[in-house]
Amino acid sequence: MSIFDTIKAFFAGGSRSGKLYIIDAAQLSGGGSERLGPREQVQVLQQLSRFVEKEKIGVQAVFEGRALREVAHGENYGGVQVFFADNTANLQNLLLDLLKKGLRSKQAVLVTGTRQVEERAISMGGLTLRPSTFRKAFENGGGGGGGGDRGAR
């Protein structure tokens, strides 16, 4: 099974599967977990929004920093519910709190590269996914602006 088959299986079923993806969104930019500026946050949200629309999945994105003009804390941006935390410790706590709430009603998947947060998420019964793996689906699934050629021949 190729990495893309594995990723595709992870997203199989879309929103009907009841999966909720809680994402440490700064880690999707490829620059690690560094704090993103407002412009970069909006770019990530635009890409996520296209991906959510195409894949029909539930996504909550968490950023470190203040709310944006384009979207306030807890509001939706193109189908993505967006949250903000003022520092790294609060960001990690918010990710785990959202996971705990998500696990009450559906299968929740936490997308993070922070080992300590991953371990806590697994101990809570959540699934985890590395940002690099999610980013491969995200970029190749049409979220990165290019139209994927899935199934085209």
Side-chain angles (χ1 to χ4, degrees):
M1 179 179 270
S2 75
I3 185 71
F4 293 110
D5 290 336
T6 302
I7 293 168
K8 188 175 179 183
F10 213 80
F11 291 102
S15 61
R16 293 178 302 283
S17 70
K19 284 186 184 173
L20 171 66
Y21 293 85
I22 302 158
I23 303 171
D24 185 347
Q27 294 184 3
L28 292 181
S29 70
S33 60
E34 296 177 19
R35 182 180 253 189
L36 298 178
R39 179 176 291 157
E40 291 85 11
Q41 289 177 348
V42 170
Q43 289 172 343
V44 169
L45 286 173
Q46 289 170 342
Q47 291 174 329
L48 268 176
S49 177
R50 287 190 296 270
F51 185 67
V52 164
E53 184 179 316
K54 182 173 183 167
E55 297 296 328
K56 307 292 187 235
I57 60 174
V59 170
Q60 294 177 330
V62 182
F63 291 100
E64 185 177 347
R66 291 189 293 189
L68 302 170
R69 281 187 308 224
E70 293 82 358
V71 62
H73 178 80
E75 290 187 355
N76 287 319
Y77 183 97
V80 178
Q81 191 174 19
V82 186
F83 298 91
F84 299 91
D86 57 354
N87 59 47
T88 302
N90 288 343
L91 176 111
Q92 293 175 356
N93 290 333
L94 180 56
L95 287 167
L96 292 168
D97 187 49
L98 291 170
L99 177 66
K100 185 185 299 183
K101 290 176 184 174
L103 287 171
R104 290 183 191 144
S105 60
K106 49 186 89 172
Q107 188 177 23
V109 179
L110 181 63
V111 180
T112 184
T114 307
R115 184 175 302 267
Q116 181 182 24
V117 176
E118 275 183 344
E119 290 170 358
R120 288 181 60 197
I122 291 168
S123 72
M124 293 167 55
L127 299 173
T128 62
L129 190 63
R130 299 299 241 159
S132 58
T133 305
F134 186 86
R135 193 169 40 247
K136 287 175 185 171
F138 176 65
E139 291 171 349
N140 292 310
D149 60 81
R150 237 190 263 179
R153 225 170 187 222

